Amino acid sequence: MPPQVGVGVGVGVGAVTAYALRASRQSSPSYGLTTSALIKQTKRAHVRQFSLFSRPNASKRSNPTKAARWLFPPKHIARALSGKPLPQRRSVILNFAYRTAALLGTGFGFIGILFAAFFLYDSTTYKESALTFGDCQVSEAALNPRRGGPKNLPIIEALLDDDDSPDAKKKKSKPRLVILGGGWGSVALLKQLNPEDYHVTVISPKNYFLFTPMLPSATVGTLEMRSLVEPIRRILTRIGGHYLRASAEDVEFSHKLVEVSQTDSRGQDVRFYVPYDKLVIAVGSVTNPHGVKGLDNCFFLKDINDARRIRNQVMKNLELACLPITADDERKRLLSFVISGGGPTGVEFAAELFDLLNEDLTRRFPRLLRNEISVHLIQSREHILNTYDEALSKYAEDRFARDQVEVLVNSRVKEVQEDKIIFSQKCEDGTILTKELPMGFCLWSTGVSQSELCQRLAAKLGSAQNNRHALETDTHLRLNGTPLGDVYAIGDCSTVQNNVADNVVTFLRGHAFKQGKDPETVELHFNDWRGVAKDVKRRFPQAAAHLKRVDKLFAQFDKDQSGTLDFGELRELLKQIDSKLTSLPATAQRANQQGLYLAKKFNKLAHAAPGLRANEIRDGDLDEACYKAFEYHHLGSLAYVGNSAVFDLGGGWGVTGGLWAVYAWRSVYFAQSVGVRTRVLMAMDWAKRGLFGRDLMSF
Amino acid sequence: MPPQVGVGVGVGVGAVTAYALRASRQSSPSYGLTTSALIKQTKRAHVRQFSLFSRPNASKRSNPTKAARWLFPPKHIARALSGKPLPQRRSVILNFAYRTAALLGTGFGFIGILFAAFFLYDSTTYKESALTFGDCQVSEAALNPRRGGPKNLPIIEALLDDDDSPDAKKKKSKPRLVILGGGWGSVALLKQLNPEDYHVTVISPKNYFLFTPMLPSATVGTLEMRSLVEPIRRILTRIGGHYLRASAEDVEFSHKLVEVSQTDSRGQDVRFYVPYDKLVIAVGSVTNPHGVKGLDNCFFLKDINDARRIRNQVMKNLELACLPITADDERKRLLSFVISGGGPTGVEFAAELFDLLNEDLTRRFPRLLRNEISVHLIQSREHILNTYDEALSKYAEDRFARDQVEVLVNSRVKEVQEDKIIFSQKCEDGTILTKELPMGFCLWSTGVSQSELCQRLAAKLGSAQNNRHALETDTHLRLNGTPLGDVYAIGDCSTVQNNVADNVVTFLRGHAFKQGKDPETVELHFNDWRGVAKDVKRRFPQAAAHLKRVDKLFAQFDKDQSGTLDFGELRELLKQIDSKLTSLPATAQRANQQGLYLAKKFNKLAHAAPGLRANEIRDGDLDEACYKAFEYHHLGSLAYVGNSAVFDLGGGWGVTGGLWAVYAWRSVYFAQSVGVRTRVLMAMDWAKRGLFGRDLMSF
C-alpha cells in the first residue's frame, strides 16, 4: 500500500536532505546526549526497538554482512521508523532548517511516490497480447432480423451483444426499455435505473452525451470539446444497456415499434423497427428560427460541432483582419461579433468571447485588432437573462457595459445577410427604428422549437396533443393519447399538462353518475372539497402551492354563501388555479429531474407491477398506483458573465460576484458533471487555461 | 514562498493527525521527561526558542490575549518550528503509527499547499477590466500598401504590429527574414534565432506547428489533437516575429518578392507581395500518389484534420457494424482496415489502431466486432520499416503477426475502389498475382512528393535545378540558381546537392587557367591532392567519411603509378565518392537540424557581415566565409509497434523492447516536444488514457 511505502521513502528523502545540512557541522554532542537520555528514559522500549529496526552499535558487530545490512537499514531510516527523536541542535536556526529540509523532503518524496504509483498502475493498462473470444455466440435473429410491422421493415428483436455475457443473456427476458435521445433526461434516467430490471436500448444519432451548460466555454477553448462529452456506451456499461447509432423517425404506438433510420456506408438511408415495452422520448429540441430570413448566415450552439465551427470562424476572422491588404472598414466588419438572443447561452457566449479577446488575443495579435473589435448582444425583451431576477439582469448588463459589450434590448432581428444583420429597435418613446449592423460573425441563440419527430408524433396523436411547441404528457410524464404506461416523454421535447379543471370536473361528474346522482345538482360540502383538494394536490403536485389555504378558497368561490360549492363554482376555482400554473422551463435541470423521476418509477414498477396487477387498480393506472406524480423543484439558475457570475436562487433571491463567483459557478458544474472522467478533464482544462491561456488555433 | 509555508501547514496537518492518535492514550509521562531533559541540555537555545516561537508555560501568563495567541502558535506547530523532539512512546508500534500519521499528514498537507498555490496563481490570470490601448499607432504603409512588382500587386512593406512596441519599432530597420511554412525546419530556426537581428515574418496557411511524429496517436485518441500543436504566434513571441496566415504561390527572385495568396471572407482569392532580404523556403512536401487510381477513396495522415477524419471514419464503421441490419459480409468489410505503406507512419498507425481495437473496443462494443475486425498493412518492399535495420523490421513484423495485423510485403497497390483495394503481390517464385481486398477504410501513407510551389520554383530556375523530387541547395542550404545568400531551402522540400566531382574539377581547372597552365596536363602530387581532399571535406562535410584514408585513395586511383593524379584520375576518384553519398532522409530530424543550422548561421551573419564585406571575400561568398557547411548527423530513428517500440541507432545498432521501450519512446518525443505547453498536455493525455482509456466518440 503506497502510503506506508510513502513514509519510508518520504522520510528517507527528508532525512537525506537533512543529513546534507548536518554535514556542514561537526556531529553535535547534544545528539548523543539526547538519545542516551532517552535510552535511560525508555530502556525496555529501546531494547525492543533495536532488535526490531535500528543497527546495533559498531561495538556489537564489527563489519555487518550484506544480509545484516539489509536487516538493519541505515540510521536515518531506522529513526524514521522507530520513535527516536530527531537529533537536537543548539541553534534554533539550524533546527528550523533541519526540520524544514526533512518536511520538504517528505513532501516531495510523497509526491514522488504518487507518481511512481500511477506509473505502476498505468503499466497494467496495456493489454500485452491480442484478446480473442474464439467463436462468440450471436442469435440468428440478430444476424438476420425478420421483416414485419406496418411498413414491412426488419424488426430488431435481438442485438449483436445480447449473448455476450451471462448477465446480458438474463436481460433478454426482461421488458424492453427503449430510450430515444442521449441528452440530460436520458442520461439521468440511465444513471438511476436498476441494472437488473430492463433490457435497455438507447437510440441516438450521437454516440455521446453533451454537457450543454458549458458549451459556450468550448467555443473559445476555455474547455476542450472532449471534456464536455461522455460516450453513451460508457454510461450504459453499468446497467449493461445497448446502443444503436441511428435516428428515430416515427413510432407505431399500436404495434409498439419505433421506426429508425440510418445512412449506410454507401450513403443510402436504411430503415428498421425497434420493438419496445416501454418507450421514453427524450429527443430534445431544435433551434427556433422565429421565421427570420438568412439564418444560413448564422452559427448555432446546440452541438459540439457547432462549437468547433464557431471557434474556427472566430479565428478565421482574426487572421484575415491581420492581413494588411484587408481594407479598414472590412476589418471592422470582420471584428464585429453579433449574438442574437440574450438568454443564458447568448450571454455566456458573449462573456467567453470577450474573455478570449481580452485575455488572449491582445497577447499575440496586433493591437489594432483589439481596438477595432466590437461585440453586440441583441435581445428582444427589455433585459438580457429575462428569466432571471431583474437585479441580476441589471448586474449582467452593467458588467457588459463595462466590458464594452454592446447590449441592444427591445430589438428584433428581421434579416441576417452575409455581411450585416438587420433589426428593429423599440425606443423609449415607443417609436420603432430599423437599424443594420455590419458583422463578421453572428450567433443565433433565441430559444428552441419542436423537432420533426415530435411534430410527426403530435400530428399522429391528433386531439390528444394540443401544444404547438412540445409533446404533452400527464403529470406521470406519460405521453397523452398513448396507452397508459407505454410511452413517456421528458426533457425539452415535452411539457407537463396541468388541466386541473377539466380533469377533476370530468372525474367528479363520472363519479356522480356512478352514484346515480345528477352531476349538475351535486353540491360539495367543505369536507368533500377538502377531499377534492387533496386529490388535486396528489395528482397535480405543481398546483399544491396554490391550494395551501383550502378554507379561504372555499369561502372565496362559494359565491352564494350556501356553504357548498356546485360544479360551476368548483370549475371556476380550479380554472383560477390552472391559470396560475406555468409550464416548466426547457432546461437541463428539468430534464435531469424528469429522468431521475422516471428511473425511480421504473425501478418500482419492475417489482411492484405483478403484485399490483393482481389486485384491481383504478383505470389499470399502474404508475399512479405505485408512484407519485412528477413534481418539479427549481434549484435556481446561474450564468457566467465575464470574470463574474450570477446565481438566481429563485423567489427573488440572487447572488452576484466576481472571481469567487466564477469559481463557485465552476464548482457547481464540476459537481453536476456526468462522471469522474469529465470532472478530471474539466479540471485539467481550467488548469491549462491558467497556465497557458487559450490556444488561438483553428483546424 | 510556498515551500516554507508548506512546512508550517504540512506539519500542522501531520501533527493534528498525530494528535488524534495520541488522544487514544493518556498524555505519556515520557513526553514531559524528554523535553525537560532537553531543556536541561540546551538551555540557552531554549530561552531563545521560547522567545521566538513556542508558548510560555501557563505559569508565566495566565490567559493570553488574542494577539498573544497569534504570537505563540499552538504547541504542535511550535514544535514543528522549534527543534524539539516529537513525543516518545513506550510502544514501538505506537511510535511507528505516530510517525506514519505525521508523515502522511505532511505529504498531503504539502500537496494541499501546491493546490492552494496554483489557485492563487490562477486567480491572477483573469483580467478584471477590459484592456484598451487608446489610439494605437499603425503606419500608413500597413493600412494602404502601395502596388508594384511584376504583377502590380500590393506590396506589404509594413505590418499592422510593426509599431505596437518599442522593440517592434527597432526591428523595422533590420533585414527582413521571410520564412515560408511552419513545420519542423521553420520552428527549429525560430527557436534558435537571436531576437534582435532580423525582422521575421512567417507565412503559412496553418497558424500552428504540428508535432508530426505523434500524429498516428491522435487518430485513435491516445493523444488529443491540441496536444500535438503549438500556435506559431506563441513560438514567434520570443523573437517578436510576425505571422501572416496565407500561402506562398511564387517567388520573384530578381525583385526579392514572395507572391502570396489568401481567400478573403467572401471566398475570393486575393494576392499580394511580401518583400524579403533573406527568404527561407520550408514548405514541406505533399503525399505521393504514385499515379494510383482512386486515391479519393483513401485517407491521408499529414495534417491534424486528417487525424480527425480518420478518427470519425473508424468510429462510423464501428457503429454501422453494430447495427443488426448490416449484413455479415458488409460488416466484415466495414471492419477491414487497410494501411498502404509500411513506413514509420503506416506502421505506427497500424499499431495505434490495433491498440484502440484491442484495448478499448472490446470493452464497449459487441464481441462479434472484435472477431470480425482485420487490419492489413500493404508494403511494396520486402520488409516494413525498410529504412531501419533489418533485425528491427523483422521484430516489427513478428510483433504484428502476433497481434493479428496482416503484413503483405512485395505488394503494389494498383487501384483503390470505394469498397475494395486491388494490389499485385510478388510471390517467392517471382510470379506476380493480382489480389483484391474488401475494405471499409484505407490509409495512404506511401512517401512524399514535391509541392506545387516547389515545382513552380524549380521550373523557374531551369538548369540550376535538376531534381524531380525536391529543390536542390548547395551545402550551405542556399537554393541553387538564386543570388548567393538570398534564398535558402530546408526540410522535406529540399535536398542538398553533393556533386563533388564537377564542382571541384571545374574549380581546379579555373585555378589552373589563372596560373596559365593547360588544365589537361596539370598533375596533382600527393600534397596537392591532400589539399584538394581537405577542401572537399570542408565544402562537402557528408563526403568526409569517404575521405578518411587519403593516401589509399591516391594509390588506388593513380593508375599509371606516376605518383601524380591527372584530371581524369581525379575526376574518377571524386565521382566514386559522389556515388557513395546518399541524399538526406525526408524526416523531422533532418529539417530540425537544418533549421538550427540556418539559425546559427543567420545569427553569425547578422554581426559578421559588415566586417566581412570590407575585406575581400572569395566570390563574395559570405556564408562560406563566416560559417561552416551543413552536416547532417543521424541520431537514429524509432517507431512504436504496438505495446513495444524499436529504436534504430544507426550503424546496425538497434534496440527493441516491450513496455519499457514504449515509455522510452514516449520520453524521447516528450523531450523533443516544442514547448512546456505541449509537454504538459501530452503527459495529461497519457494519464487520461491510463485512467479512462480512449474515448470512442466521433464528432
Side-chain angles (χ1 to χ4, degrees):
Chain A
M1 54 277 215
Q4 287 219 355
V5 186
V7 183
V9 179
V11 80
V13 183
V16 169
T17 347
Y19 267 67
L21 268 161
R22 198 165 135 237
S24 57
R25 293 170 86 246
Q26 280 79 319
S27 70
S28 70
S30 68
Y31 171 46
L33 281 160
T34 328
T35 24
S36 61
L38 280 167
I39 292 173
K40 267 193 243 89
Q41 284 312 328
T42 59
K43 203 161 186 45
R44 244 184 43 268
H46 267 269
V47 176
R48 219 185 311 114
Q49 275 179 37
F50 274 115
S51 59
L52 268 177
F53 303 104
S54 63
R55 165 186 295 161
N57 352 16
S59 64
K60 277 205 190 117
R61 54 167 60 197
S62 53
N63 48 2
T65 64
K66 209 166 193 182
R69 239 179 271 109
W70 181 86
L71 265 170
F72 307 110
K75 241 206 223 90
H76 55 273
I77 294 201
R79 180 179 304 106
L81 301 176
S82 80
K84 291 199 291 165
L86 294 169
Q88 289 309 303
R89 302 274 162 287
R90 279 233 168 63
S91 137
V92 175
I93 311 307
L94 211 66
N95 276 322
F96 180 71
Y98 188 94
R99 286 288 167 111
T100 312
L103 289 167
L104 280 186
T106 315
F108 284 115
F110 194 73
I111 291 173
I113 298 303
L114 294 184
F115 264 95
F118 175 76
F119 269 100
L120 276 177
Y121 166 75
D122 183 65
S123 63
T124 64
T125 63
Y126 302 87
K127 293 202 187 136
E128 244 314 301
S129 65
L131 276 186
T132 40
F133 307 105
D135 299 346
C136 72
Q137 202 181 339
V138 180
S139 64
E140 183 56 24
L143 292 174
N144 311 315
R146 72 171 178 84
R147 289 179 158 271
K151 295 188 185 173
N152 190 38
L153 298 171
I155 303 180
I156 311 299
E157 279 158 334
L159 296 166
L160 291 179
D161 44 1
D162 269 345
D163 302 291
D164 274 2
S165 68
D167 288 6
K169 282 207 179 91
K170 264 191 237 120
K171 295 243 173 63
K172 287 163 80 175
S173 56
K174 302 284 182 187
R176 309 169 156 280
L177 171 60
V178 175
I179 302 170
L180 307 182
W184 279 94
S186 319
V187 169
L189 169 51
L190 292 172
K191 294 194 81 175
Q192 194 70 34
L193 200 68
N194 284 348
E196 304 78 25
D197 303 337
Y198 294 92
H199 177 280
V200 180
T201 310
V202 173
I203 299 174
S204 165
K206 302 199 195 79
N207 60 0
Y208 54 86
F209 160 73
L210 172 60
F211 192 76
T212 41
M214 292 298 241
L215 202 44
S217 299
T219 55
V220 297
T222 312
L223 290 178
E224 287 311 330
M225 322 257 171
R226 304 218 152 242
S227 316
L228 298 183
V229 290
E230 180 82 350
I232 289 193
R233 282 210 162 75
R234 182 190 285 270
I235 299 168
L236 279 167
T237 318
R238 184 184 66 88
I239 56 168
H242 310 273
Y243 170 75
L244 295 178
R245 188 187 189 181
S247 35
E249 297 292 339
D250 199 354
V251 181
E252 305 289 352
F253 296 107
S254 45
H255 298 72
K256 291 194 167 192
L257 294 173
V258 187
E259 183 182 342
V260 178
S261 83
Q262 167 66 293
T263 36
D264 69 5
S265 58
R266 291 179 178 69
Q268 278 149 2
D269 169 88
V270 288
R271 302 219 164 192
F272 54 97
Y273 285 128
V274 178
Y276 65 83
D277 297 312
K278 280 192 180 302
L279 176 68
V280 177
I281 303 175
V283 294
S285 55
V286 295
T287 311
N288 189 341
H290 289 292
V292 171
K293 256 193 298 173
L295 282 197
D296 46 351
N297 299 318
C298 289
F299 288 79
F300 305 96
L301 189 49
K302 280 195 77 68
D303 181 15
I304 200 78
N305 283 314
D306 297 334
R308 192 196 295 108
R309 276 185 219 105
I310 291 173
R311 194 169 180 168
N312 289 345
Q313 182 66 30
V314 172
M315 284 311 305
K316 194 174 155 216
N317 288 7
L318 293 177
E319 293 291 2
L320 279 172
C322 288
L323 296 180
I325 44 160
T326 310
D328 205 41
D329 55 347
E330 170 72 356
R331 183 175 294 118
K332 285 208 178 68
R333 181 185 74 77
L334 284 168
L335 296 178
S336 140
F337 299 89
V338 176
I339 295 110
S340 170
T345 310
V347 166
E348 289 194 335
F349 174 72
E352 291 280 358
L353 183 62
F354 175 79
D355 288 351
L356 172 75
L357 303 175
N358 189 40
E359 287 172 9
D360 303 280
L361 174 71
T362 42
R363 278 198 233 148
R364 315 244 181 246
F365 284 78
R367 288 182 165 197
L368 182 65
L369 267 62
R370 181 67 193 86
N371 287 7
E372 297 198 340
I373 278 171
S374 59
V375 182
H376 315 270
L377 184 58
I378 299 183
Q379 161 72 315
S380 55
R381 311 298 188 80
E382 264 181 38
H383 289 294
I384 60 175
L385 294 178
N386 59 299
T387 56
Y388 288 48
D389 182 69
E390 182 157 345
L392 302 180
S393 314
K394 289 295 298 171
Y395 178 86
E397 282 162 8
D398 301 344
R399 184 89 209 172
F400 278 146
R402 221 188 71 198
D403 291 350
Q404 302 153 339
V405 173
E406 185 188 20
V407 177
L408 301 155
V409 291
N410 298 320
S411 309
R412 295 200 159 279
V413 175
K414 284 183 158 176
E415 185 185 351
V416 185
Q417 295 179 1
E418 200 183 314
D419 56 359
K420 64 172 179 285
I421 184 164
I422 300 164
F423 64 97
S424 65
Q425 189 169 29
K426 185 139 139 277
C427 314
E428 274 61 30
D429 57 18
T431 57
I432 292 180
L433 299 175
T434 301
K435 302 181 174 179
E436 62 178 50
L437 193 61
M439 58 88 184
F441 170 92
C442 176
L443 175 75
W444 189 259
S445 63
T446 60
V448 295
S449 69
Q450 205 169 16
S451 69
E452 270 186 34
L453 174 66
C454 296
Q455 289 170 7
R456 203 170 296 127
L457 295 183
K460 207 168 191 171
L461 295 172
S463 63
Q465 295 285 337
N466 315 312
N467 187 320
R468 268 177 41 263
H469 302 298
L471 294 171
E472 286 181 329
T473 71
D474 62 13
T475 52
H476 286 271
L477 306 188
R478 291 171 295 195
L479 186 60
N480 287 348
T482 59
L484 282 183
D486 271 10
V487 187
Y488 300 79
I490 59 175
D492 290 8
C493 71
S494 73
T495 177
V496 177
Q497 197 187 23
N498 280 312
N499 51 350
V500 185
D502 319 356
N503 206 310
V504 175
V505 174
T506 334
F507 164 64
L508 284 181
R509 191 172 272 128
H511 197 64
F513 265 122
K514 282 215 200 83
Q515 299 177 342
K517 295 186 192 147
D518 170 5
E520 298 317 313
T521 66
V522 169
E523 301 270 313
L524 289 111
H525 293 283
F526 183 67
N527 286 349
D528 310 329
W529 156 240
R530 217 207 244 104
V532 172
K534 203 151 156 292
D535 184 50
V536 171
K537 278 188 199 165
R538 190 171 51 73
R539 291 171 62 187
F540 302 94
Q542 305 303 132
H546 308 289
L547 279 167
K548 286 212 178 72
R549 298 302 310 275
V550 186
D551 49 354
K552 271 230 176 72
L553 283 165
F554 190 83
Q556 178 188 350
F557 280 88
D558 179 13
K559 300 262 169 8
D560 52 10
Q561 304 298 331
S562 62
T564 59
L565 289 177
D566 59 32
F567 267 28
E569 291 169 335
L570 181 60
R571 187 184 286 102
E572 282 319 303
L573 192 160
L574 296 171
K575 276 232 164 65
Q576 190 220 42
I577 290 174
D578 280 354
S579 67
K580 288 188 186 154
L581 296 178
T582 57
S583 65
L584 303 177
T587 60
Q589 188 179 158
R590 194 250 290 200
N592 184 48
Q593 289 185 19
Q594 290 186 316
L596 292 176
Y597 166 84
L598 276 193
K600 293 198 189 108
K601 182 153 75 178
F602 288 170
N603 292 341
K604 262 198 171 349
L605 281 172
H607 300 290
L612 282 166
R613 260 192 218 84
N615 343 345
E616 189 244 304
I617 292 162
R618 192 173 75 183
D619 330 332
D621 190 339
L622 260 175
D623 293 59
E624 185 158 3
C626 60
Y627 205 62
K628 62 186 197 301
F630 171 72
E631 182 172 12
Y632 171 69
H633 300 283
H634 186 69
L635 304 175
S637 18
L638 59 171
Y640 175 71
V641 292
N643 288 342
S644 62
V646 298
F647 301 77
D648 184 334
L649 309 174
W653 290 90
V655 185
T656 64
L659 208 49
W660 70 265
V662 177
Y663 284 124
W665 171 75
R666 284 182 183 174
S667 348
V668 170
Y669 283 138
F670 184 81
Q672 288 187 345
S673 184
V674 64
V676 183
R677 180 183 151 280
T678 43
R679 288 204 186 92
V680 174
L681 265 54
M682 273 183 173
M684 283 178 172
D685 290 345
W686 284 321
K688 271 191 236 168
R689 187 216 141 281
L691 292 171
F692 313 112
R694 304 172 184 79
D695 41 12
L696 298 160
M697 289 176 293
S698 53
F699 313 143
Chain B
M1 55 272 219
Q4 288 219 355
V5 187
V7 182
V9 180
V11 80
V13 184
V16 169
T17 347
Y19 268 66
L21 268 161
R22 198 163 136 240
S24 57
R25 296 170 83 244
Q26 280 81 317
S27 70
S28 70
S30 67
Y31 172 47
L33 281 160
T34 328
T35 24
S36 63
L38 280 165
I39 294 172
K40 265 193 245 92
Q41 283 312 328
T42 59
K43 200 160 186 48
R44 244 183 44 267
H46 267 271
V47 175
R48 222 188 304 117
Q49 274 179 39
F50 275 116
S51 59
L52 270 176
F53 306 104
S54 63
R55 163 188 295 158
N57 354 9
S59 64
K60 277 207 190 113
R61 51 166 63 192
S62 52
N63 47 0
T65 65
K66 207 168 192 181
R69 241 181 269 108
W70 182 85
L71 265 171
F72 307 110
K75 243 209 220 86
H76 54 274
I77 294 201
R79 180 180 302 107
L81 300 175
S82 81
K84 291 197 293 166
L86 293 168
Q88 289 310 302
R89 305 273 164 287
R90 280 237 167 60
S91 136
V92 176
I93 311 307
L94 211 65
N95 277 322
F96 180 73
Y98 187 93
R99 286 290 167 110
T100 312
L103 289 166
L104 280 187
T106 315
F108 284 115
F110 194 72
I111 291 173
I113 298 304
L114 294 184
F115 265 95
F118 175 76
F119 269 101
L120 277 177
Y121 166 75
D122 184 63
S123 62
T124 64
T125 63
Y126 302 87
K127 291 200 188 138
E128 244 314 303
S129 65
L131 277 187
T132 40
F133 308 104
D135 300 345
C136 71
Q137 203 181 338
V138 180
S139 63
E140 182 57 22
L143 292 175
N144 311 318
R146 73 170 177 85
R147 293 183 155 267
K151 295 187 184 174
N152 190 38
L153 298 170
I155 302 180
I156 311 300
E157 279 157 334
L159 296 165
L160 292 178
D161 44 2
D162 269 345
D163 302 291
D164 273 2
S165 69
D167 288 7
K169 281 206 180 93
K170 265 190 235 122
K171 295 242 173 61
K172 286 163 80 176
S173 56
K174 302 285 181 184
R176 311 170 155 278
L177 172 59
V178 175
I179 301 170
L180 307 183
W184 279 94
S186 319
V187 169
L189 168 51
L190 292 172
K191 295 194 81 175
Q192 194 70 34
L193 199 67
N194 285 347
E196 303 79 24
D197 303 337
Y198 294 92
H199 177 280
V200 181
T201 309
V202 174
I203 299 175
S204 164
K206 303 200 195 77
N207 60 0
Y208 53 86
F209 160 73
L210 172 59
F211 192 77
T212 41
M214 293 298 240
L215 202 44
S217 300
T219 55
V220 297
T222 311
L223 290 177
E224 287 310 331
M225 322 259 171
R226 302 216 154 244
S227 316
L228 298 183
V229 290
E230 181 81 351
I232 288 192
R233 281 209 163 75
R234 183 190 285 269
I235 300 168
L236 279 167
T237 317
R238 184 185 65 89
I239 57 168
H242 310 272
Y243 169 76
L244 295 178
R245 188 187 191 181
S247 35
E249 296 292 339
D250 199 355
V251 181
E252 304 289 352
F253 296 108
S254 46
H255 299 70
K256 291 194 168 192
L257 293 173
V258 188
E259 184 182 340
V260 178
S261 82
Q262 166 68 294
T263 35
D264 70 4
S265 58
R266 289 179 179 70
Q268 278 149 2
D269 169 86
V270 289
R271 302 219 164 192
F272 54 97
Y273 284 128
V274 178
Y276 65 83
D277 297 312
K278 280 193 180 300
L279 177 68
V280 177
I281 302 174
V283 293
S285 54
V286 295
T287 311
N288 190 342
H290 289 292
V292 171
K293 258 193 295 175
L295 283 197
D296 47 349
N297 299 320
C298 290
F299 288 79
F300 306 96
L301 190 48
K302 279 195 77 68
D303 181 14
I304 198 80
N305 282 315
D306 297 335
R308 192 195 297 107
R309 277 186 219 105
I310 290 174
R311 195 170 177 166
N312 289 346
Q313 182 66 31
V314 173
M315 284 310 305
K316 196 176 153 212
N317 287 7
L318 293 177
E319 292 290 3
L320 279 172
C322 288
L323 297 180
I325 45 160
T326 309
D328 204 43
D329 55 347
E330 170 72 355
R331 183 175 293 117
K332 284 207 179 69
R333 181 185 75 76
L334 285 169
L335 297 177
S336 139
F337 299 89
V338 176
I339 294 110
S340 171
T345 310
V347 167
E348 288 193 335
F349 174 73
E352 291 279 359
L353 183 62
F354 174 78
D355 288 350
L356 171 75
L357 303 176
N358 188 41
E359 288 171 10
D360 303 280
L361 173 72
T362 41
R363 277 197 237 148
R364 316 249 182 240
F365 283 78
R367 289 182 165 197
L368 181 66
L369 268 63
R370 181 68 193 87
N371 286 8
E372 296 199 340
I373 278 170
S374 60
V375 182
H376 315 270
L377 184 59
I378 298 183
Q379 162 72 316
S380 55
R381 310 299 186 81
E382 262 179 43
H383 289 294
I384 60 175
L385 294 177
N386 60 300
T387 56
Y388 288 48
D389 182 69
E390 182 158 346
L392 302 180
S393 314
K394 289 296 299 171
Y395 177 85
E397 282 163 9
D398 301 345
R399 184 88 209 173
F400 278 147
R402 220 188 72 198
D403 292 349
Q404 300 156 336
V405 173
E406 186 189 21
V407 177
L408 301 155
V409 291
N410 299 320
S411 309
R412 294 199 160 281
V413 175
K414 283 183 160 178
E415 185 185 351
V416 185
Q417 295 179 0
E418 200 184 314
D419 56 357
K420 63 173 181 284
I421 184 164
I422 299 165
F423 63 97
S424 64
Q425 189 168 29
K426 186 139 138 277
C427 313
E428 274 62 27
D429 57 17
T431 57
I432 292 178
L433 299 176
T434 302
K435 301 182 174 179
E436 61 176 50
L437 193 61
M439 58 88 185
F441 170 92
C442 176
L443 176 75
W444 189 258
S445 63
T446 60
V448 296
S449 70
Q450 204 169 17
S451 69
E452 269 186 33
L453 174 66
C454 296
Q455 289 169 8
R456 204 171 294 126
L457 295 183
K460 206 167 193 172
L461 295 172
S463 63
Q465 296 284 338
N466 314 312
N467 186 321
R468 270 178 40 260
H469 302 299
L471 294 172
E472 285 181 330
T473 72
D474 63 12
T475 50
H476 286 271
L477 306 187
R478 291 170 296 194
L479 185 60
N480 288 348
T482 60
L484 283 183
D486 271 9
V487 187
Y488 300 78
I490 58 175
D492 290 9
C493 71
S494 73
T495 178
V496 177
Q497 198 186 21
N498 279 314
N499 51 350
V500 184
D502 319 356
N503 206 309
V504 175
V505 174
T506 334
F507 166 66
L508 284 180
R509 189 172 274 126
H511 197 64
F513 265 120
K514 285 214 199 86
Q515 300 176 342
K517 294 182 192 154
D518 170 4
E520 298 316 315
T521 67
V522 167
E523 300 273 314
L524 289 117
H525 293 282
F526 183 66
N527 286 349
D528 310 330
W529 155 240
R530 216 205 247 105
V532 173
K534 202 151 156 294
D535 184 49
V536 170
K537 278 187 199 166
R538 189 170 51 74
R539 292 168 63 185
F540 301 95
Q542 305 304 129
H546 309 289
L547 280 167
K548 286 214 178 71
R549 298 303 310 275
V550 186
D551 48 354
K552 271 232 176 73
L553 284 166
F554 190 83
Q556 178 188 350
F557 280 86
D558 179 12
K559 299 263 169 5
D560 53 9
Q561 305 297 331
S562 62
T564 60
L565 290 177
D566 61 29
F567 267 28
E569 290 167 337
L570 180 61
R571 187 183 288 102
E572 282 320 302
L573 191 160
L574 297 171
K575 277 230 164 66
Q576 190 220 41
I577 289 172
D578 281 354
S579 66
K580 287 188 189 154
L581 296 177
T582 56
S583 64
L584 302 178
T587 60
Q589 188 178 160
R590 195 248 292 200
N592 185 48
Q593 288 185 20
Q594 291 186 317
L596 293 175
Y597 167 83
L598 276 193
K600 292 197 189 109
K601 183 154 74 180
F602 289 169
N603 293 341
K604 260 195 173 350
L605 282 172
H607 300 290
L612 281 167
R613 255 192 221 83
N615 341 346
E616 188 245 305
I617 291 163
R618 192 175 74 183
D619 331 331
D621 189 338
L622 261 176
D623 293 59
E624 185 159 4
C626 61
Y627 204 63
K628 63 184 196 301
F630 171 72
E631 183 173 10
Y632 172 69
H633 301 282
H634 185 68
L635 303 176
S637 18
L638 59 171
Y640 175 72
V641 293
N643 287 342
S644 61
V646 299
F647 300 78
D648 184 335
L649 309 174
W653 290 91
V655 185
T656 65
L659 207 49
W660 70 265
V662 177
Y663 283 125
W665 170 75
R666 283 183 184 174
S667 348
V668 170
Y669 284 137
F670 185 81
Q672 287 187 346
S673 184
V674 65
V676 184
R677 180 182 151 279
T678 44
R679 289 206 185 90
V680 174
L681 266 55
M682 273 185 177
M684 284 179 171
D685 290 345
W686 284 321
K688 271 191 236 168
R689 186 215 141 280
L691 292 171
F692 312 112
R694 304 170 184 81
D695 41 12
L696 296 161
M697 291 176 292
S698 53
F699 314 140

